[in-house]
Amino acid sequence: MRKWWFETLENFPKNKEFEENIWDAFVEKLNEDPPNFGHAVVLIKEVKESLLSVLLPQHKYLKSQIEEVLDLDLIQQKLENDAFDIYYYSDYVIGIMGKLCAPARDDRIARLKEMKDVVPLFKEIFEFIANLSVVPYNVDITTKNMEIYLMIFIDKEAGIDGLELTKQWLTRSFEKLRPGGVTPREGATQANMTTPAAILNGAYMELLQWDTSKIFPETLVLDQSRFLDLREQTQHLTLVTSVLLVTYNTVGQSIAGVQSLKVKLKEEICTLLEGVEDGNLESVLENISEQVNKNVEVFLKEHGFPAHDETQQKTLKGQITTLKEKDNQIITLMSKRVLDFIQQALFSKLTEPLKVPAGTSVMEKELSQICGQFLRLISHNRSVFGQYYANIIGTLLKRLQEDLSPADAVS
């Protein structure tokens, strides 16, 4: 069955008066005493179906989340029990649109978040979603802007290269993958690792460990804040799982396998990490170690285990605070597991869910969100600048072929 809302509008494509009458009817319902939100539920249903229609195959987690939050039966129950909050749902929808849209629309998303008048807000939401599927238009506009950028900043006579940083970025990935650079992944040979896709994906992975003393590549600078935010989220996820691993290994059998404690610790650690930057990590780890010790002691007391003495508490605190060191073995281990998982997602055909790495199950939701946002960002970036990347990588691979002997050359 066709969606009644859009079907009605399609039947009257030039009748703006009819369309306004629909919204006027919505206003009348909201102005009743008490407000009648029945019409809003119908609109939410249409919004839900529209959002699902623009999702890509890899958006499995996002699709599941939309189905859960915009559960129409649950919404109807809330409506019947006077527990319906229309702004909760509009805020959620706007958040989803912000994840799906191109970065150029961030300002419009910000304006939507500030709107409080329900009817104009929903009108804007419908218009926004209707334009979400117009991806080629956004790509063409961004590509055209990039061409203008290159025309301004490339001056061959003066030796100015507008893609110098992009070339350096891709070359670093190439150098890691070329014969002798790294150990091949399981089931791969050194030669077939050095492919255009592997080089580009390797370069994208560097963004999650970006050295902030470096300038961002030209083709990524517009999304710099987004990538750095994902870098921070990845580091925080690594730290949380590292603290939990240290805690459970140090305390031992008395808390082994206790998921409820792990969830509680995770939530409190995440709260303490909010807004924390690398430079303040040492002080926040002190607070985290104190909070973890406190929760462990409460758990031991409630479940009849002997309390830890001062030495045992100091040991746990010391193990946690040493996580500030970048060469800490636990941090290194968990970082590798997290980054390997994200890299698997890049190469995966997404025909089946990836298994979350050991020690990260409590952060599965957060890890899935990071993966989804990362894949969406690089997908858009690749669609806009793919030809530039292909040209640069082609030159690198040609150089590799010339350097290798015929027997070793990459086919």
Side-chain angles (χ1 to χ4, degrees):
M1 181 181 295
R2 292 175 61 83
K3 303 173 187 176
W4 75 267
W5 177 263
F6 291 118
E7 182 179 28
T8 303
L9 294 183
E10 286 169 0
N11 289 336
F12 297 87
K14 297 181 181 179
N15 191 339
K16 291 186 177 296
E17 181 180 355
F18 180 84
E19 183 178 342
E20 288 302 321
N21 286 341
I22 293 176
W23 292 111
D24 289 343
F26 188 17
V27 172
E28 289 179 9
K29 294 293 183 182
L30 293 179
N31 287 336
E32 291 181 8
D33 188 14
N36 184 338
F37 287 104
H39 203 69
V41 177
V42 177
L43 295 183
I44 290 173
K45 174 179 180 293
E46 301 305 327
V47 167
K48 175 183 177 180
E49 293 180 2
S50 300
L51 285 175
L52 293 175
S53 72
V54 300
L55 293 183
L56 299 174
Q58 60 263 39
H59 292 146
K60 293 180 180 179
Y61 173 79
L62 195 55
K63 179 179 179 180
S64 175
Q65 187 190 69
I66 291 173
E67 293 281 9
E68 180 180 344
V69 176
L70 301 183
D71 182 329
L72 297 175
D73 290 337
L74 179 59
I75 291 174
Q76 188 61 44
Q77 290 177 21
K78 288 185 175 181
L79 190 65
E80 293 170 357
N81 291 281
D82 294 327
F84 177 75
D85 181 356
I86 194 168
Y87 293 109
Y88 167 79
Y89 293 103
S90 63
D91 288 347
Y92 173 76
V93 168
I94 293 168
I96 294 297
M97 295 191 306
K99 293 179 180 179
L100 293 174
C101 72
R105 300 187 183 182
D106 283 353
D107 288 345
R108 189 174 178 188
I109 288 291
R111 289 196 297 272
L112 282 174
K113 290 179 179 178
E114 295 175 356
M115 294 181 67
K116 297 303 178 186
D117 197 336
V118 173
V119 175
L121 173 58
F122 269 84
K123 289 174 72 173
E124 287 287 326
I125 287 174
F126 270 95
E127 181 182 340
F128 195 101
I129 294 177
N131 291 326
L132 272 179
S133 60
V134 193
V135 176
Y137 173 79
N138 292 328
V139 171
D140 290 344
I141 290 298
T142 311
T143 304
K144 185 175 181 180
N145 289 342
M146 185 61 184
E147 290 171 352
I148 293 173
Y149 168 88
L150 292 175
M151 289 173 63
I152 294 173
F153 289 98
I154 292 181
D155 186 340
K156 293 183 178 179
E157 293 184 2
I160 298 174
D161 186 349
L163 290 178
E164 179 182 355
L165 297 174
T166 300
K167 290 177 179 177
Q168 292 176 10
W169 170 62
L170 292 171
T171 301
R172 284 196 296 273
S173 178
F174 165 75
E175 292 295 341
K176 290 179 182 178
L177 293 173
R178 67 178 298 167
V182 294
T183 303
R185 299 188 309 273
E186 185 178 351
T189 65
Q190 191 76 63
N192 65 31
M193 280 181 62
T194 318
T195 64
I199 293 169
L200 184 54
N201 286 342
Y204 281 130
M205 288 302 299
E206 183 189 359
L207 302 176
L208 295 179
Q209 298 176 289
W210 189 259
D211 180 353
T212 52
S213 66
K214 294 178 182 176
I215 302 175
F216 246 61
E218 298 87 353
T219 55
L220 293 158
V221 72
L222 293 178
D223 285 327
Q224 177 173 338
S225 62
R226 291 169 177 252
F227 281 116
L228 290 180
D229 181 59
L230 286 174
R231 167 184 174 270
E232 181 180 291
Q233 291 181 46
T234 304
Q235 291 177 339
H236 284 186
L237 188 150
T238 299
L239 184 60
V240 172
T241 54
S242 297
V243 171
L244 293 175
L245 182 59
V246 163
T247 301
Y248 274 70
N249 285 345
T250 304
V251 176
Q253 190 61 36
S254 57
I255 64 171
V258 181
Q259 187 69 11
S260 58
L261 176 61
K262 189 174 291 188
V263 171
K264 181 177 177 60
L265 291 175
K266 165 213 163 179
E267 291 174 349
E268 294 190 355
I269 295 168
C270 287
T271 299
L272 290 171
L273 283 174
E274 287 181 3
V276 173
E277 299 178 355
D278 289 348
N280 300 325
L281 190 56
E282 185 171 353
S283 62
V284 79
L285 279 173
E286 289 283 343
N287 295 334
I288 288 173
S289 67
E290 294 287 350
Q291 193 63 35
V292 169
N293 256 315
K294 178 182 176 181
N295 280 284
V296 168
E297 292 308 303
V298 169
F299 176 87
L300 295 177
K301 181 178 180 180
E302 289 179 346
H303 292 81
F305 291 103
H308 282 169
D309 58 30
E310 185 177 344
T311 300
Q312 290 172 308
Q313 292 188 36
K314 187 176 293 186
T315 298
L316 176 56
K317 181 177 180 179
Q319 290 290 326
I320 292 174
T321 54
T322 57
L323 294 174
K324 67 179 181 291
E325 306 295 340
K326 292 190 176 181
D327 60 351
N328 180 278
Q329 291 183 351
I330 299 297
I331 286 287
T332 301
L333 172 66
M334 297 311 298
S335 177
K336 183 178 186 304
R337 288 179 180 178
V338 168
L339 293 173
D340 282 352
F341 176 84
I342 297 173
Q343 186 160 339
Q344 276 186 307
L346 287 182
F347 285 95
S348 171
K349 299 292 186 182
L350 296 172
T351 54
E352 58 183 37
L354 296 174
K355 184 179 180 180
V356 296
T360 66
S361 60
V362 73
M363 296 289 286
E364 180 177 0
K365 176 182 176 182
E366 290 79 2
L367 182 54
S368 297
Q369 288 175 335
I370 290 172
C371 273
Q373 293 173 32
F374 188 56
L375 290 174
R376 181 177 64 85
L377 267 180
I378 65 176
S379 176
H380 179 264
N381 179 265
R382 186 165 45 218
S383 67
V384 174
F385 304 117
Q387 189 56 56
Y388 297 101
Y389 297 151
N391 293 340
I392 295 169
I393 292 173
T395 301
L396 293 171
L397 291 176
K398 182 179 179 181
R399 189 178 76 195
L400 176 62
Q401 287 182 317
E402 293 171 351
D403 290 345
L404 295 174
S405 65
D408 296 326
V410 179
S411 59

